[in-house]
Amino acid sequence: MTRKPTVDPAQVEAQLAVIRQGVVEIIPEADLRRKIERSLAANEPLVVKQGFDPTAPDIHLGHTVGLRKLRQFQDLGHKVVFLIGDFTGMIGDPSGRHETRKRLDREVLLENAKTYTEQAFKILDPKNTIIDYNSRWLAKLEFADVLRLTATQTVAQMLERDDFETRYQEGRPISLLEFVYPLAQGYDSVALNADVEIGATEQKFNLLMAREIQRQYGQEPEVIITLPILEGIDGVEKMSKSLGNYIGVSDPPEEIFGKTMKIPDSLVVKYFELVSSVSPAELQSVRARMSDPAVNPSHVKRELARDLVTQFHDADAAQAAEAHFNRLFVEHGRPEETALVEINGGGEGVWIAKVLTQAALCESTSAARRMIQQGAVKIDGSKIADVDLRLSARSQPYAIQVGKRGFADVVVS
């Protein structure tokens, strides 16, 4: 008689303690415990997946919330599948949408996906990551296969979804194509025979459906882990490239630092918890300091900014980015490098409003006039007030500043 391998309960608890960090729900946790026990007993890793539709070319901090959880699973010895939704991206995820999402061409999606893996590997371990594309199985489904997939759910079940129900009640259109999206995402889990799937809280409907679809295809349902949605630097909306409230993992160091310093004080702890590299003990220190009225929140925010720049670049870049920030916002000095713009003066000089627009310091001549009238324009360190000023040709560039962050060196020839 073969003896069943024994598993140390402490090992199981240790894994669960790591996995629970920063999550909203584990559905159901009892199943995850059972899967971990089986994994340890058989020395077989769990298959953990997360899907990313490449609807934009860059990954931002909001995406890294899931990537960090995937990395934790890797560090625990499990197999991670970074799934690029090159097929589902053509449908468009309706989660949280109040109207039908615009469809993207596959060529655009594939172009966007080119940099995804490079950016994801800033967090994931490349040696222990499987990169896959869901077109590998979804594009091969025949119509009979699609019919079988649609038969796993009912229209009533689809309308239980909050965003669909709201749109239906308001008379907003819902395309049948949008009904297909959660079915396709669920079939991804069937194709990969996934044990665990990670997603944001807004993905819960899709994730629960994946469990049911796996069951219909004779597989053991995956465990769902939902993660918080990270608000953008505006502190209101979900972080999104389209809203401009994002911090990109491939942004230059000074941009990451500067954007981080704009995060509302109320979100500093959440950012530390979800996207920083601090330990649990250090996180407790951050919580204590942010609740202490004697502590200046900007000092703690600087720690977060340094941490993020170091993660996506290095410590030297973080130091240089902080120095750049100090120069612009503390010392109100000029950056080390500014754009050099050459403008033909035509013998009569160039109108200052035209200079500001051509140097991309103002959007229009009317905006340029307004900035001058507000005293926000400096030339060679001195404020100007004459909206009709003309800059004549000279050998040295004019050092122009608009507001706190607009700088250019202008050569009038």
Side-chain angles (χ1 to χ4, degrees):
M1 182 175 178
T2 304
R3 189 173 182 180
K4 185 178 179 181
T6 57
V7 175
D8 183 357
Q11 288 183 279
V12 178
E13 287 303 323
Q15 290 206 19
L16 286 171
V18 172
I19 294 168
R20 289 188 192 111
Q21 294 173 13
V23 308
V24 177
E25 286 184 283
I26 299 175
I27 307 173
E29 185 169 315
D31 282 7
L32 179 59
R33 179 187 298 275
R34 196 158 43 246
K35 285 176 181 280
I36 292 172
E37 289 173 347
R38 191 170 61 220
S39 167
L40 290 170
N43 196 26
E44 287 285 339
L46 298 177
V47 177
V48 185
K49 66 168 275 224
Q50 185 174 11
F52 297 83
D53 286 350
T55 53
D58 296 319
I59 290 176
H60 55 63
L61 282 188
H63 298 119
T64 69
V65 177
L67 292 175
R68 290 180 183 285
K69 186 57 62 177
L70 292 176
R71 180 57 190 256
Q72 288 178 342
F73 272 100
Q74 286 183 324
D75 293 342
L76 294 171
H78 300 296
K79 182 167 70 175
V80 159
V81 179
F82 181 87
L83 182 62
I84 296 176
D86 60 324
F87 197 91
T88 47
M90 292 190 292
I91 303 172
D93 186 2
S95 297
R97 303 287 296 187
H98 299 296
E99 57 188 14
T100 302
R101 185 188 291 272
K102 181 181 177 181
R103 295 185 64 195
L104 294 179
D105 293 333
R106 188 160 184 267
E107 290 73 18
V108 174
L109 293 165
L110 290 175
E111 186 65 29
N112 289 344
K114 284 181 179 178
T115 60
Y116 261 43
T117 53
E118 179 185 343
Q119 295 173 63
F121 288 154
K122 290 177 180 287
I123 295 174
L124 298 178
D125 179 1
K127 292 179 295 186
N128 295 308
T129 303
I130 296 172
I131 305 295
D132 216 334
Y133 294 78
N134 62 10
S135 62
R136 188 167 67 84
W137 48 85
L138 292 177
K140 296 176 183 177
L141 292 180
E142 296 184 353
F143 195 62
D145 301 317
V146 176
L147 292 178
R148 180 188 176 190
L149 182 57
T150 58
T152 64
Q153 305 297 315
T154 67
V155 172
Q157 285 173 305
M158 289 295 186
L159 290 177
E160 288 175 5
R161 180 182 181 136
D162 290 342
D163 37 23
F164 283 161
E165 182 181 17
T166 300
R167 285 162 61 182
Y168 181 75
Q169 294 295 337
E170 294 176 353
R172 295 175 181 267
I174 305 169
S175 73
L176 291 177
L177 186 66
E178 290 178 284
F179 277 180
V180 172
Y181 188 94
L183 297 173
Q185 182 174 331
Y187 192 81
D188 289 344
S189 295
V190 172
L192 295 169
N193 200 5
D195 292 300
V196 179
E197 183 167 10
I198 291 170
T201 51
E202 66 180 11
Q203 285 280 315
K204 185 175 177 179
F205 180 91
N206 294 352
L207 300 173
L208 286 170
M209 183 169 288
R211 280 175 53 84
E212 178 58 28
I213 290 173
Q214 280 185 302
R215 189 179 287 111
Q216 294 281 347
Y217 279 78
Q219 292 184 2
E220 179 183 276
E222 65 188 16
V223 170
I224 296 167
I225 296 179
T226 60
L227 299 169
I229 293 173
L230 185 68
E231 293 88 346
I233 60 176
D234 58 357
V236 180
E237 300 288 347
K238 169 187 172 182
M239 185 173 285
S240 166
K241 193 172 179 66
S242 61
L243 296 175
N245 64 353
Y246 71 101
I247 299 175
V249 302
S250 59
D251 281 349
E254 60 272 13
E255 282 193 29
I256 294 177
F257 197 98
K259 288 179 178 179
T260 304
M261 294 301 292
K262 292 181 179 180
I263 295 169
D265 295 348
S266 59
L267 286 177
V268 170
V269 172
K270 186 172 185 178
Y271 269 69
F272 263 104
E273 180 177 24
L274 297 181
V275 298
S276 82
S277 62
V278 301
S279 67
E282 291 169 323
L283 180 60
Q284 284 300 105
S285 172
V286 168
R287 284 198 176 97
R289 284 183 288 150
M290 286 301 294
S291 62
D292 185 348
V295 174
N296 185 339
S298 69
H299 295 166
V300 185
K301 213 176 292 184
R302 280 174 177 266
E303 295 175 23
L304 176 62
R306 287 194 296 267
D307 181 279
L308 293 175
V309 176
T310 300
Q311 285 185 60
F312 303 124
H313 294 279
D314 55 43
D316 290 341
Q319 185 177 0
E322 185 168 16
H324 175 87
F325 181 85
N326 289 339
R327 207 161 36 245
L328 262 62
F329 298 101
V330 179
E331 303 160 8
H332 301 292
R334 293 174 65 79
E336 290 182 346
E337 295 183 8
T338 57
L340 181 63
V341 181
E342 186 170 348
I343 301 175
N344 188 338
E348 298 180 354
V350 189
W351 181 35
I352 182 60
K354 183 178 179 181
V355 170
L356 297 181
T357 56
Q358 289 197 13
L361 295 172
C362 292
E363 294 181 356
S364 63
T365 55
S366 59
R369 290 173 67 93
R370 188 164 58 251
M371 294 300 284
I372 294 169
Q373 291 167 344
Q374 292 173 357
V377 179
K378 293 181 181 180
I379 297 180
D380 297 333
S382 300
K383 287 185 181 179
I384 64 167
D386 183 3
V387 295
D388 296 317
L389 176 70
R390 302 185 79 86
L391 300 186
S392 57
R394 74 179 193 186
S395 58
Q396 294 296 320
Y398 291 92
I400 299 180
Q401 177 179 352
V402 177
K404 293 182 178 180
R405 300 191 66 180
F407 295 92
D409 292 326
V410 177
V411 175
V412 178
S413 58

